[in-house]
Amino acid sequence: MSYNEADTCRIHITPKLRESDWESHPHSITEQYTFTDGRVKICGSIVKRGEQKRADYLLRYTRDFPIAVVEAKAEGLPASQGMQQAKEYAEILGLKFAYTSNGHDIVEFDYTTGQETLLAAYPTPAELFSRLQQAEGLTEENIPSLLAPFHYQPGFSPRYYQQIAINRAVQALLQGKQRILLTMATGTGKTFVAFQICWKLWNSKWNRTGAYRKPRILFLADRNVLIDDPKDKTFAPFADARYKIENGKIVKSREIYFAIYQAIASDTHRPGLYKEFSRDFFDLIIIDECHRGSSRDNSNWHEILEYFNPAFQIGMTATPLREDNRDTYRYFGNPIYTYSLRQGIDDGFLAPYRVHRVVTDVDAAGWRPSKGELDRYGREIPDDEYQTGDFERVIALRSRTKTIARHLADFMERTDRFAKTIVFCVDQEHADEMRRELNNLNTDITAKHADYVARVTSDEGKIGKGHLSRFQELETTTPVILTTSQLLTTGVDAPTCKNIVLARVVNSMTEFKQIIGRGTRLREDYDKLWFNIIDYTGSATRNFADPDFDGYPDIEEEIIIDLDGNELHDDDDEPPSDETENEDPPDYEERDSQDDPVDSDSHEPRKYYVDSGTVKIASHLVYELDSDGKQLRVVQYSDYTAEKVRTLFVSDDKLRDLWANPVGREEVLTELAEYGINFDDLSDSTGQADADPLDLLCHLAFGAPLRTRRERAKYLRSKQPDFFDQYGDEAQEILNTLLDKYTQFGPKQFEIPDALYMAPISDYGNTIEISNLFGGAVEMKAAIDTLQSLLYAE
């Protein structure tokens, strides 16, 4: 007798693992370990999950330190047949040992040596960990910190990639790596990972000097929102060990410190609060969103990191290596772990997106003033052809803003007027104008909810932060639409945000990924499984087309020399300096003359303002990720449907034969639904609301003539009068009523007994009384089935 895979696990593999002490505390086995949620697939209006990844066994050295994976095969198959699967899962899970077994033979692949070996028994936990320890060069005094448990919350377990990031960061630190970089897509839990790293080190009393004390850790960022939220929420279990450095005050008796660079940095007005600490005060510094200027050689923020050079430093970023963040990678080195946006979407932990490319006529063709045309302030507008990149920077076209606002309002009215939406504008002035236009286009709502649309920029201060806080809350209704310029590009957790709107050009890939990261968080319990990117400037389609969109190349050494061969250093893209005289300066954001409506030199408005003219929407294309999640394609729902129908049915005759029978039609509908084909969506996208679904499918897939439901019903009545004549008057009336309802609403009207409960058929009595008009229930069903067969007969 040969056992299947499940029997092999139960009868052979599990007992052998127990024999090797894998169920002796603190070691454990997790059977059927599911580690992804399954990619969210959008098919028309249908959203469903793809297949989850599941390992047969995960072997844990401790609860929070998995070490190996085991794949099972049926007893009659070679054990080695499962090795490719085992290796794939081991690599995804960041494990060094992979096993496969058919219950009798055991095959091991050891990533530390590259050896594949046939074994008689599984290694014990102690043997396996000893091999790992030796391969990674870990000393005995480091083991307690590496194996320190995570902080667990009821009902929440770290995802597999978070476990990898946490354990790899701690291991790299224990191995003496001074600068560590983690690259994790927005929405994948970087703050949670940072907390768990700190928790393991804090509880194991690790510190840089080896003294018997808890470590002193500094959590750095460039915005208060990136500091306050983690301190008050994620890091709350540290209780009184926490302290935020602000208002020029410091204490040295805590262990977990939080600060924004600006609060401790030196500038023309302050010597630098960070110098109040000794250079070796901190054991570890974690820099959140480290791509935002902290590692630039000429930055005063870089001065802070260099001052605390004795400390281990962990940089965290959501952006891969690009030209605009190359300095970050030079400073920290290659990331020790990368979890990309694409991987997050493929695993089903991040929301996929649908891109709407909307083009106004002035964006398509440019805008040129008429000769001698004056702007709002009576200034002559320079004769030039202005393009998308000039709008709201050089020239402000009120009609363009109105048109974009109108299109967005119409889009939300068609989809969901209360879907949380962030609109990224060119500057604060543009954000305010966009807010006003959207408000006035939704007065039926704003009369009841005055904060339906709100601007959140630095000018709003605490009021803007209040709007943002309510926007982020899951249970609040308003505000629904936030307009902003730079403030919300990063560090804002808005899990129910369903629309990301680009009303300004975004050339930086780093910034672009930060912006779309506002929509990638999933909340199935709030029906947030995907989101829209509504692009009025071409930024999304241009950045998505970049072949390096989600690529993570190794660091490329770049040396620039002058004509004499001397090495030069790239000093481009200096970050704005903070020259405010406030004791505690505002958060960093893009603050240049673009945000000041008046030029500081000429004291005139810095833009030309055009209030006249009209702008129209020239086109609206919809893009979706293809089935492999590799690239965007223009969505042509009719082409997609035709392709799938031809895949399922070899000819229109085969499809018609199945469709004519109610049971066969149900099978067809089920198969099409598996591919996300919905007839309401299909009729809307093709503009054929009156077509019979069968005719529409055959027309799209096989080029058959297209008929309306009315034409089919009329043809049946004229060609098959004998069918109706065989029944009494009342039965004929019921059949004709069903045919009329089909004409109006489609073939679902033939479903029994539902159709019998609807007027006017229900006026003939209950289901028994109605069926008796046909001679009984069997005869009634036969009559309605025959009606459908004749309806679809050619």
Side-chain angles (χ1 to χ4, degrees):
M1 178 180 177
S2 181
Y3 295 117
N4 60 27
E5 191 172 300
D7 291 333
T8 299
C9 292
R10 178 175 52 85
I11 297 172
H12 295 295
I13 297 179
T14 300
K16 287 187 176 183
L17 287 169
R18 286 176 180 151
E19 288 173 10
S20 295
D21 291 332
W22 279 102
E23 283 197 336
S24 300
H25 185 77
H27 321 302
S28 63
I29 300 169
T30 301
E31 296 185 53
Q32 295 300 304
Y33 175 64
T34 300
F35 55 93
T36 71
D37 283 355
R39 187 172 182 268
V40 176
K41 297 182 178 181
I42 312 169
C43 305
S45 62
I46 297 175
V47 180
K48 61 179 184 177
R49 289 278 190 178
E51 187 176 352
Q52 297 173 311
K53 288 186 170 67
R54 180 182 293 111
D56 291 325
Y57 293 88
L58 183 71
L59 307 186
R60 300 177 185 271
Y61 186 72
T62 64
R63 182 194 66 180
D64 300 325
F65 197 87
I67 196 169
V69 66
V70 181
E71 278 300 299
K73 302 307 294 182
E75 187 181 32
L77 298 174
S80 59
Q81 190 168 319
M83 181 50 73
Q84 287 302 113
Q85 184 76 80
K87 289 167 70 174
E88 178 189 346
Y89 286 167
E91 289 165 16
I92 293 173
L93 296 171
L95 306 176
K96 296 298 184 183
F97 305 99
Y99 297 89
T100 179
S101 175
N102 61 4
H104 302 287
D105 299 326
I106 302 169
V107 184
E108 174 194 77
F109 186 83
D110 183 343
Y111 280 87
T112 68
T113 63
Q115 290 284 335
E116 185 169 314
T117 309
L118 186 64
L119 305 176
Y122 293 97
T124 65
E127 291 169 348
L128 211 55
F129 188 78
S130 176
R131 287 159 59 184
L132 178 67
Q133 183 180 347
Q134 184 177 359
E136 298 294 343
L138 295 167
T139 61
E140 285 299 323
E141 55 265 28
N142 289 333
I143 301 307
S145 295
L146 182 65
L147 299 182
F150 299 155
H151 179 275
Y152 266 77
Q153 299 173 347
F156 178 80
S157 298
R159 293 169 175 166
Y160 81 88
Y161 64 85
Q162 294 169 336
Q163 290 192 35
I164 296 172
I166 296 162
N167 288 330
R168 280 196 187 174
V170 171
Q171 180 173 311
L173 184 148
L174 296 174
Q175 290 169 325
K177 186 174 174 60
Q178 286 290 124
R179 295 175 181 176
I180 299 165
L181 182 64
L182 291 171
T183 301
M184 298 175 65
T186 300
T188 57
K190 291 191 299 297
T191 304
F192 173 78
V193 167
F195 162 73
Q196 294 289 2
I197 292 170
C198 295
W199 186 261
K200 283 169 72 77
L201 298 174
W202 189 72
N203 276 290
S204 63
K205 292 185 171 62
W206 168 89
N207 59 76
R208 185 176 48 81
T209 63
Y212 186 76
R213 63 172 175 83
K214 291 183 181 294
R216 292 188 287 264
I217 300 172
L218 174 62
F219 188 92
L220 266 180
D222 69 334
R223 298 184 180 186
N224 276 309
V225 69
L226 296 176
I227 290 295
D228 294 339
D229 206 53
K231 180 181 76 71
D232 297 337
K233 296 178 182 176
T234 310
F235 283 74
F238 284 108
D240 292 340
R242 297 168 296 162
Y243 179 76
K244 182 182 179 183
I245 305 170
E246 59 184 341
N247 300 323
K249 300 175 182 178
I250 66 169
V251 299
K252 298 183 180 180
S253 57
R254 305 296 177 88
E255 290 149 354
I256 310 296
Y257 293 80
F258 298 83
I260 60 171
Y261 299 109
Q262 300 92 316
I264 61 175
S266 60
D267 58 26
T268 55
H269 305 287
R270 297 168 300 176
L273 192 62
Y274 68 91
K275 293 179 181 177
E276 296 292 320
F277 296 97
S278 64
R279 293 173 59 86
D280 61 355
F281 181 82
F282 292 108
D283 299 291
L284 172 65
I285 299 177
I286 295 179
I287 305 97
D288 195 18
E289 306 292 357
C290 63
H291 64 278
R292 294 177 56 81
S294 61
S295 54
R296 290 185 175 123
D297 291 340
N298 58 350
S299 166
N300 60 351
W301 301 349
H302 184 270
E303 182 181 313
I304 297 172
L305 300 184
E306 285 296 337
Y307 179 82
F308 292 120
N309 189 57
F312 287 85
Q313 298 177 10
I314 300 178
M316 308 193 77
T317 182
T319 59
L321 175 62
R322 301 283 303 178
E323 286 301 322
D324 53 4
N325 68 353
R326 188 173 294 275
D327 51 348
T328 299
Y329 283 73
R330 286 199 186 105
Y331 183 84
F332 288 102
N334 282 323
I336 62 167
Y337 183 62
T338 294
Y339 190 74
S340 69
L341 171 66
R342 179 172 293 157
Q343 188 64 49
I345 292 174
D346 285 345
D347 286 346
F349 297 130
L350 294 180
Y353 41 81
R354 179 174 284 167
V355 181
H356 300 257
R357 174 66 176 108
V358 185
V359 186
T360 71
D361 52 6
V362 295
D363 287 275
W367 183 87
R368 190 167 190 169
S370 55
K371 187 176 181 180
E373 184 172 350
L374 304 180
D375 82 339
R376 181 190 303 168
Y377 298 102
R379 299 172 298 169
E380 184 173 341
I381 303 171
D383 184 28
D384 200 353
E385 189 170 283
Y386 298 96
Q387 304 293 336
T388 302
D390 301 317
F391 298 140
E392 301 305 325
R393 295 189 180 277
V394 180
I395 189 135
L397 302 179
R398 175 172 287 179
S399 55
R400 178 176 178 269
T401 300
K402 284 178 173 287
T403 299
I404 290 174
R406 164 56 67 188
H407 180 271
L408 178 59
D410 289 345
F411 174 85
M412 292 182 68
E413 189 166 4
R414 292 195 310 272
T415 54
D416 181 359
R417 294 183 78 183
F418 284 90
K420 295 290 181 73
T421 302
I422 302 177
V423 185
F424 291 92
C425 302
V426 173
D427 54 25
Q428 298 193 56
E429 182 183 28
H430 187 213
D432 189 51
E433 186 173 353
M434 186 67 73
R435 178 202 58 77
R436 185 180 306 110
E437 294 298 333
L438 288 167
N439 179 90
N440 293 340
L441 289 166
N442 293 280
T443 52
D444 59 321
I445 296 178
T446 57
K448 300 176 182 177
H449 304 282
D451 62 346
Y452 176 74
V453 189
R455 184 178 76 153
V456 177
T457 62
S458 60
D459 282 356
E460 265 76 25
K462 291 183 178 180
I463 295 175
K465 288 183 179 179
H467 289 314
L468 175 58
S469 178
R470 292 192 300 278
F471 180 85
Q472 292 175 284
E473 291 175 12
L474 297 172
E475 302 297 337
T476 58
T477 303
T478 58
V480 172
I481 304 173
L482 297 186
T483 65
T484 187
S485 55
Q486 296 286 328
L487 195 60
L488 304 185
T489 57
T490 186
V492 176
D493 186 3
T496 58
C497 182
K498 292 185 177 180
N499 297 316
I500 300 296
V501 182
L502 299 176
R504 68 173 170 92
V505 175
V506 182
N507 289 318
S508 164
M509 177 65 79
T510 298
E511 183 185 20
F512 174 69
K513 294 193 77 171
Q514 291 289 333
I515 287 174
I516 66 171
R518 301 311 105 211
T520 54
R521 288 170 173 83
L522 276 167
R523 281 305 299 253
E524 289 192 61
D525 49 342
Y526 286 83
D527 198 29
K528 164 67 187 302
L529 284 163
W530 59 282
F531 68 103
N532 292 299
I533 301 171
I534 307 167
D535 178 17
Y536 294 99
T537 65
S539 298
T541 44
R542 181 174 60 254
N543 280 299
F544 281 129
D546 188 326
D548 293 328
F549 165 65
D550 216 358
Y552 297 83
D554 290 336
I555 289 181
E556 303 166 16
E557 184 179 9
E558 181 180 72
I559 300 175
I560 305 171
I561 60 173
D562 61 16
L563 293 176
D564 297 323
N566 299 313
E567 292 187 11
L568 302 176
H569 298 284
D570 186 2
D571 292 330
D572 293 342
D573 301 323
E574 294 185 11
S577 61
D578 191 313
E579 298 183 355
T580 178
E581 297 184 13
N582 295 338
E583 188 174 19
D584 201 12
D587 303 350
Y588 169 82
E589 67 171 290
E590 189 174 292
R591 294 173 181 276
D592 55 21
S593 60
Q594 294 292 324
D595 257 352
D596 188 349
V598 178
D599 187 273
S600 58
D601 296 326
S602 65
H603 303 292
E604 288 192 359
R606 63 175 176 81
K607 307 179 196 175
Y608 292 95
Y609 296 85
V610 179
D611 297 335
S612 58
T614 59
V615 174
K616 298 179 180 179
I617 297 296
S619 67
H620 181 159
L621 293 175
V622 182
Y623 297 77
E624 286 181 356
L625 283 172
D626 63 17
S627 58
D628 296 326
K630 301 293 185 185
Q631 62 184 16
L632 288 169
R633 60 175 176 82
V634 177
V635 176
Q636 295 290 348
Y637 197 41
S638 56
D639 293 342
Y640 170 80
T641 301
E643 177 188 340
K644 296 306 177 187
V645 169
R646 287 193 294 269
T647 300
L648 293 170
F649 311 102
V650 294
S651 67
D652 59 341
D653 288 339
K654 177 66 173 176
L655 176 57
R656 292 181 194 278
D657 289 344
L658 285 168
W659 191 273
N661 183 292
V663 176
R665 188 185 315 141
E666 193 61 37
E667 292 175 359
V668 172
L669 292 173
T670 300
E671 286 191 272
L672 294 176
E674 284 294 314
Y675 288 98
I677 297 173
N678 176 281
F679 284 110
D680 290 336
D681 292 339
L682 190 60
S683 60
D684 288 344
S685 66
T686 57
Q688 301 292 342
D690 295 330
D692 183 272
L694 172 65
D695 291 309
L696 187 53
L697 291 174
C698 291
H699 174 71
L700 294 174
F702 305 107
L706 190 61
R707 296 182 186 178
T708 66
R709 296 190 297 275
R710 187 173 299 280
E711 287 172 337
R712 276 200 174 273
K714 181 179 179 181
Y715 183 83
L716 172 59
R717 286 187 171 112
S718 64
K719 297 297 182 181
Q720 298 290 342
D722 293 344
F723 168 71
F724 295 94
D725 291 343
Q726 64 182 303
Y727 299 105
D729 292 342
E730 290 181 312
Q732 286 189 42
E733 290 171 3
I734 291 172
L735 292 172
N736 276 294
T737 298
L738 287 172
L739 207 53
D740 290 339
K741 283 182 171 289
Y742 155 80
T743 299
Q744 189 173 0
F745 301 111
K748 278 188 171 292
Q749 303 306 310
F750 295 127
E751 293 180 358
I752 302 298
D754 295 352
L756 307 183
Y757 300 140
M758 305 297 293
I761 296 177
S762 59
D763 296 339
Y764 291 91
N766 58 35
T767 54
I768 295 175
E769 291 169 333
I770 294 172
S771 63
N772 286 337
L773 298 175
F774 292 86
V778 174
E779 289 78 7
M780 179 183 68
K781 183 180 183 304
I784 296 174
D785 286 351
T786 302
L787 175 68
Q788 296 175 74
S789 297
L790 294 173
L791 180 66
Y792 289 110
E794 293 300 314

